[in-house]
Amino acid sequence: SKTILTYGTFDMFHIGHLRLLERLSHMADRVIVGVSTDEFNLGKGKKTLIPYEQRAEIVSAISHVDLVIPEVSWDQKVEDVKKYGVDVFAMGNDWEGKFDFLKEHCEVVYLERTRNISTTELKKSLKSF
Ligand code: C2G
């Protein structure tokens, strides 16, 4: 069977996140998602609105997702690919090329992002309410 792995923050879960996870489920039999911890995000200078536990629980509840693991560092990807026997690593194409170093361990694919939605935009539009 085929295993696919992706990572993300999935803050304020929206249709762009769902579409990505749906596509992963059509590409493999097992979908593993690394959800970034609040500390990891702080390290990226990113503040998350929804705490890790809730973001992880929401992603786990998506039928297309088989396993959720915490993303705690930039350096865990190779270890995770080996540990879970990952065949394909996939990310939205806003990351195009950034994870090509994984090509010696698994297939690497960058997928089209869903248009007209992002957590950043959602936060902005919330301000006008
Ligand atoms: N995404 C998408 N379409 C959107 C918004 C997001 O396809 N309109 C995808 C992103 O490309 C990413 C995934 O959904 O593959 C999760 O998006 P984010 O939560 O924004 O992930 P990010 O903050 O980029 O974290 O180590 C990698 C990082 O953890 C990725």
Side-chain angles (χ1 to χ4, degrees):
S1 75
K2 206 169 175 187
T3 296
I4 194 162
L5 170 66
T6 193
Y7 295 86
T9 308
F10 299 99
D11 199 12
M12 292 174 70
F13 196 85
H14 56 65
I15 194 71
H17 298 138
L18 182 62
R19 290 273 179 274
L20 180 100
L21 296 173
E22 264 169 1
R23 293 183 59 191
L24 300 189
S25 68
H26 297 145
M27 295 165 70
D29 315 289
R30 182 169 70 145
V31 177
I32 301 176
V33 183
V35 175
S36 57
T37 60
D38 297 338
E39 296 74 19
F40 179 53
N41 275 289
L42 280 178
K44 290 194 263 180
K46 254 175 105 172
K47 221 163 73 64
T48 47
L49 198 68
I50 307 297
Y52 167 76
E53 288 308 325
Q54 294 178 32
R55 290 184 285 112
E57 190 174 337
I58 289 167
V59 173
S60 301
I62 305 290
S63 58
H64 311 299
V65 175
D66 298 291
L67 175 67
V68 168
I69 59 175
E71 181 186 24
V72 299
S73 117
W74 287 112
D75 313 321
Q76 73 182 79
K77 293 182 173 68
V78 173
E79 182 193 327
D80 286 345
V81 166
K82 289 178 182 167
K83 185 174 170 184
Y84 295 102
V86 170
D87 301 291
V88 188
F89 174 83
M91 284 303 289
N93 61 11
D94 43 321
W95 293 91
E96 185 80 38
K98 296 285 188 306
F99 299 111
D100 287 355
F101 65 88
L102 289 169
K103 282 186 175 171
E104 55 186 284
H105 304 283
C106 62
E107 204 187 320
V108 175
V109 293
Y110 299 101
L111 303 168
E112 268 300 305
R113 282 172 65 91
T114 301
R115 305 228 175 295
N116 308 319
I117 185 142
S118 73
T119 306
T120 312
E121 285 307 310
L122 285 173
K123 283 179 180 173
K124 275 190 205 145
S125 53
L126 276 174
K127 286 196 177 73
S128 57
F129 275 76

